[in-house]
Amino acid sequence: ALAAADTLAELLDTLGVELPEPKVELPLGLLGVAAGLVAYTGDDVDEAAAKILEARAEARAAKNWGLADAIRDQLKDLGLTIEDTTAGTRIKSL
């Protein structure tokens, strides 16, 4: 069912139909990752995710593959992945 849904979403995207992005409930563990990676001290999980994505984009632009990979790996440990799309980069569940 998930594969069919992904295929349908891709076909609709090809036709120019934009579906609303599903809201992903990010785990609180993301706050700890953000604290360790980007010295984030707040308590907003969505803001922490934005800071992590910003740090990853900066690392990739600077060709700091070690940091970019560390970000990806720490998110994977939380059951999350980074997805680069035409609409931008987002964090989603595995």
Side-chain angles (χ1 to χ4, degrees):
L2 291 175
D6 286 341
T7 301
L8 183 58
E10 287 179 27
L11 290 171
L12 289 171
D13 185 53
T14 301
L15 295 172
V17 177
E18 291 185 31
L19 297 174
E21 290 293 324
K23 177 70 175 151
V24 175
E25 193 68 34
L26 298 171
L28 289 177
L30 198 60
L31 294 173
V33 171
L37 290 172
V38 297
Y40 179 73
T41 58
D43 61 357
D44 184 322
V45 177
D46 292 326
E47 184 177 35
K51 296 290 184 184
I52 289 170
L53 291 176
E54 182 180 309
R56 178 178 173 265
E58 290 172 5
R60 288 172 52 107
K63 297 187 180 186
N64 183 349
W65 309 122
L67 177 57
D69 290 347
I71 291 170
R72 182 197 63 222
D73 293 343
Q74 288 191 31
L75 291 178
K76 186 176 180 182
D77 291 344
L78 290 175
L80 302 170
T81 188
I82 295 176
E83 182 177 69
D84 296 307
T85 69
T86 56
T89 303
R90 65 182 179 177
I91 295 175
K92 68 178 225 173
S93 298
L94 288 174

